[in-house]
Amino acid sequence: MQVYNTMTRKKEELVPLTPGVIRMYVCGPTVYNFFHIGNARPFVVFDTLRRYLEYKGYKVVLAQNFTDIDDKLINRANAEGTTVPEIAERYIKEYYRDADALSIERATVNPRATEHVDEIIALVETLIGRGHAYAADNGDVYFSVRSYPEYGKLSGQSIDDLESGARIDPTEHKRDPLDFAVWKGAKPGEPSWESPWGKGRPGWHIECSAMSMNILGETFDIHAGGQDLVFPHHENEIAQSEAATGKPFARYWMHNGYININNEKMSKSLGNFLLVRDIAKEFDLEAVRLFLLGAQYRNPVNFSRELIEQADTALSRIRTARERLDDAMKKPAEAPDPEDAAFLASVPEFRARWEEAMDDDLNTADALGVLFDFTRSLNSFVSEPRGIEALEAADAFMKDVCRVMGLLQHRREEEFPLEALALLAQRGAARAARDWARADAIREELKALGFAVEDGKDGAKLKRL
RNA sequence: GGCACCAUAGCCAAGCGGUAAGGCAGAGGUCUGCAAAACCUUCAUCCCCGGUUCGAUUCCGGGUGGUGCCUCCA
């Protein structure tokens, strides 16, 4: 599989450090609020990557962190008159709720910064010991950017250009404006941990370095996140980690593009964000997932309600095909059908095309095109009873694609309320009596209850609206 | 100022050297009591100007327009 590596700015063959195993780290949420659709993109995209790698037979160790201590949590806790751990606990729970609805599989580990303070302190001590960090007189510890000559290699920035643009904050105790905090001395009332530099808490960048290296090793395969993390977050992670270990940190850096609203980046600071939680009130979040996978992950995508509606309609197209296949499998042809052979032969071709798209830097947009092509072919095929072998081949492919792309993973209620079933039966009777007016009236009643009726060869079927 | 990215039909979005996947919407048709679903048909020459090439949406140069990072941010 080819993967675009931000470090080299080109697509490269993904070759894991340990054959058959992929170790990857995805920057997770700072848990001080529900997450918005922009935050959802990396979670969905890299979940899809993880699933695809597993489909290809890799064992994937995926770590996605929760940043559960930082200024935003502290502010939120103060504003609500509660504690930082309470805020973190709440929004971690809410994260899982939304992530589940988006069919995001649980990571292998979800490390929390506060559970890795010892490792963070050890890492800071190593950096100081090697002359890459220094303790300031206020209890802060800073990383010395100029002590790491390769600084800027990920973002393509030169230290001198950065220097000229760096903001100087007189309240900080840096030796150089480029330096950044790896440990923050505690201010009164803030949560803090004992350290060699007094009470304090981890800096943001260092926690990802400490957690990723502790869980995945000093050198691991993939480090991923949003494009806005390239600088400074990931640049700083590289500097800290490689300065501390003298070894390469992550080998492939993958970054997703933004979600825009009206061609402007969606962000919490701009206030133009839409919470996934709010979209869930109106739509099955798998429609959001389909929307996100409808574009190649590195390209920016515009968000609008209309686009989610489009995705929702498209999703139902896949769902209908899935249901038609299920029905076909319940009553296959007695003997193989003459058309089975051609269809059976086409399935591996669809699969090959789908894999080719996924192998090309996770081109999910292209891969979805293959799914829809297959959907059309399948819909035609199952319009007549077919041999079970061909149907099972279609089923296996459909399941693989849907599992990897995280679509149709929600259990839908099979059971319909008795009231609706009774109406359906009454309508059937009316139709048998050619009482069309009554049949249509009942259809309207069912619609009001949230069900559509579809008449087919084998009688009428109910569908949830 | 530095570093990147993008420009394909009404709306999204792949493709990236040989004459434009797919989805949504629209039009016509098949099926249906009607509908729905499904299927069939139909709907673009790829921002502009140069250049390279037998041939460019696809490569190069120059425009124009838009975005992001350089500060917390997915």
Side-chain angles (χ1 to χ4, degrees), chain A residues 118-170:
Chain A
D118 290 347
E119 287 103 311
I120 291 166
I121 290 172
L123 186 55
V124 173
E125 286 187 296
T126 302
L127 288 170
I128 293 175
R130 301 189 86 177
H132 289 293
Y134 55 91
D137 51 17
N138 64 341
D140 289 352
V141 180
Y142 294 99
F143 181 84
S144 170
V145 167
R146 287 197 182 269
S147 75
Y148 180 68
E150 291 179 60
Y151 192 84
K153 66 180 176 181
L154 179 69
S155 57
Q157 309 270 352
S158 81
I159 291 188
D160 294 320
D161 288 336
L162 288 166
E163 182 83 84
S164 64
R167 187 198 287 178
I168 294 161
D169 183 342

Side-chain angles (χ1 to χ4, degrees), chain A residues 252-446:
Chain A
Y252 301 90
W253 288 87
M254 298 178 70
H255 295 97
N256 62 276
Y258 305 113
I259 303 290
N260 296 144
I261 285 193
N262 297 324
N263 292 313
E264 202 176 43
K265 179 185 170 184
M266 179 187 296
S267 74
K268 286 176 182 165
S269 44
L270 286 173
N272 60 349
F273 58 88
L274 195 66
L275 298 175
V276 164
R277 180 58 55 88
D278 290 330
I279 302 172
K281 289 173 189 159
E282 280 190 80
F283 298 97
D284 181 334
L285 287 186
E286 283 193 348
V288 171
R289 183 159 180 133
L290 185 64
F291 160 73
L292 291 171
L293 296 181
Q296 211 278 342
Y297 75 91
R298 283 186 289 123
N299 293 152
V301 294
N302 238 319
F303 172 86
S304 73
R305 187 200 157 78
E306 188 196 355
L307 294 174
I308 296 300
E309 285 171 358
Q310 288 184 6
D312 197 44
T313 309
L315 181 64
S316 67
R317 186 173 162 73
I318 301 169
R319 186 180 295 123
T320 301
R322 177 68 256 182
E323 287 166 0
R324 286 166 63 104
L325 176 58
D326 286 338
D327 289 344
M329 292 180 79
K330 282 177 197 153
K331 38 182 191 309
E334 307 262 327
D337 187 89
E339 286 188 38
D340 287 2
F343 181 82
L344 202 47
S346 77
V347 177
E349 290 167 16
F350 280 111
R351 188 184 285 273
R353 281 177 56 204
W354 178 74
E355 288 182 5
E356 195 184 337
M358 296 295 278
D359 278 339
D360 180 18
D361 193 27
L362 206 71
N363 193 336
T364 51
D366 207 3
L368 281 174
V370 179
L371 208 211
F372 283 110
D373 281 342
F374 179 70
T375 294
R376 183 182 302 111
S377 169
L378 177 64
N379 278 331
S380 292
F381 186 65
V382 298
S383 61
E384 301 291 336
R386 305 296 185 185
I388 193 66
E389 192 192 351
L391 295 172
E392 281 175 348
D395 177 59
F397 178 52
M398 196 80 179
K399 277 186 178 144
D400 282 342
V401 170
C402 287
R403 190 186 67 249
V404 170
M405 305 196 89
L407 302 173
L408 271 38
Q409 300 300 294
H410 296 169
R411 281 227 183 105
R412 294 213 127 208
E413 282 184 58
E414 288 293 313
E415 302 291 309
F416 292 102
L418 288 175
E419 183 190 10
L421 291 170
L423 282 169
L424 187 70
Q426 286 173 35
R427 179 169 172 278
R431 289 186 74 222
R434 306 185 71 80
D435 184 353
W436 309 128
R438 170 131 179 80
D440 290 347
I442 295 173
R443 184 160 61 197
E444 284 305 308
E445 276 187 65
L446 280 164

Side-chain angles (χ1 to χ4, degrees), chain A residues 77-95:
Chain A
N78 288 155
E80 293 190 15
T82 181
T83 64
V84 168
E86 199 282 323
I87 293 288
E89 208 52 51
R90 183 198 311 167
Y91 288 108
I92 285 172
K93 207 184 260 174
E94 301 292 3
Y95 166 85

Side-chain angles (χ1 to χ4, degrees), chain A residues 35-86:
Chain A
F35 65 87
H36 61 66
I37 182 155
N39 300 313
R41 173 121 94 147
F43 306 153
V44 166
V45 163
F46 298 116
D47 173 64
T48 304
L49 174 63
R50 179 260 189 105
R51 288 162 177 262
Y52 185 60
L53 291 169
E54 286 175 344
Y55 165 83
K56 287 177 81 77
Y58 289 105
K59 172 177 160 45
V60 177
V61 182
L62 169 65
Q64 181 177 298
N65 69 295
F66 286 121
T67 295
D68 61 350
I69 174 68
D70 94 323
D71 289 341
K72 292 184 286 268
L73 277 109
I74 293 170
N75 292 340
R76 181 109 195 184
N78 288 155
E80 293 190 15
T82 181
T83 64
V84 168
E86 199 282 323

